[in-house]
Amino acid sequence: QSVLTQPPSVSGAPGQRVTISCTGSSSNIGADYDVHWYQQLPGTAPKLLIYGNNNRPSGVPDRFSGSKSGTSASLAITGLQAEDEADYCCQSYDSSLRVVFGGGTKLTVL
Amino acid sequence: QLQLQESGPGLVKPSETLSLTCSVSGGSITGGSYYWVWVRQPPGKGLEWIGSIYYSGGSYYNPSLKSRVTISVDMSKNQFSLKLSSVTAADTAVYYCARGLGIRGHLDYWGQGTLVPVSS
């Protein structure tokens, strides 16, 4: 069981907006630790998508955005494209002195 | 451009020790406030943090693996390594090395990953 909870799957049609939630607790996200997001295409290593809750690394389209509130965080993708079909995973830090990940969410573009 | 590359045996037998090395190129392992991290992903499952180390030696391990894990740095070779002892089939996974911004921060560079099956 992952410390951070994500929905196993989400889907959307091209051009639509989808959101992926990441739910933690008072010992991680709720303790004001940052949330980061990764995109993982099939058979490849994770790629940093959002860091520090809502910052995009150079080269990541502004269709991707992150937010955080209380013990949860969300990743939003607007203008959905076929190339966005991938697994998405959130990461934070826990007061038990460990890095924690979500279980991952598979995004399907219909 | 920083690059990380995992290397090690492709198969480990149960009860033996899994050993992997991550070679860092395009930058120094001693530069900046970076931690060097091992993460694994069992087939079809999510990511699991194994541990992180700073070049000067400070290390942190996942409590669920701590009794079996050792991460070390070799500054002369610009490498860091993972040893996981007493492996079982549950340790079968793709093992990634990565660079982290601080112990709590994001992982901005990743190796391509290496699949390590545990099987007799």
Side-chain angles (χ1 to χ4, degrees), chain A residues 33 36 38 40 44-48 51-52 89 91-93 96-103, chain B residues 39 41 45-49 52 60-63 96 103-108 110-113:
Chain A
Y33 292 118
H36 321 292
Y38 302 89
Q40 188 173 23
T44 69
K47 169 193 167 186
L48 181 65
Y51 68 94
C89 181
Q91 176 221 327
S92 187
Y93 187 74
S96 58
L97 304 182
R98 55 177 171 153
V99 174
V100 291
F101 288 100
Chain B
V39 174
Q41 185 171 34
K45 296 188 178 181
L47 300 170
E48 179 181 31
W49 174 69
S52 304
Y60 300 84
Y61 300 132
N62 189 324
Y96 296 101
I103 184 59
R104 308 172 183 177
H106 56 277
L107 307 180
D108 56 356
W110 294 68
Q112 65 184 27

Side-chain angles (χ1 to χ4, degrees), chain B residues 2 5 11 21 24-25 34 41 49 51 62 64 68 70-71 85 87 94 102-105:
Chain B
L2 194 75
Q5 177 69 57
L11 179 68
T21 295
V24 180
S25 59
Y34 297 111
Q41 185 171 34
W49 174 69
N62 189 324
S64 68
R68 300 193 290 129
T70 302
I71 298 176
S85 64
V87 297
V94 175
I103 184 59
R104 308 172 183 177

Side-chain angles (χ1 to χ4, degrees), chain B residues 61-81:
Chain B
Y61 300 132
N62 189 324
S64 68
L65 299 170
K66 188 173 184 177
S67 63
R68 300 193 290 129
V69 173
T70 302
I71 298 176
S72 58
V73 168
D74 186 334
M75 288 183 280
S76 67
K77 295 182 178 179
N78 220 36
Q79 295 176 337
F80 63 106
S81 298

Side-chain angles (χ1 to χ4, degrees), chain B residues 15-29:
Chain B
S15 79
E16 294 188 345
T17 295
L18 180 159
S19 297
L20 294 173
T21 295
C22 182
S23 299
V24 180
S25 59
S28 173
I29 203 167

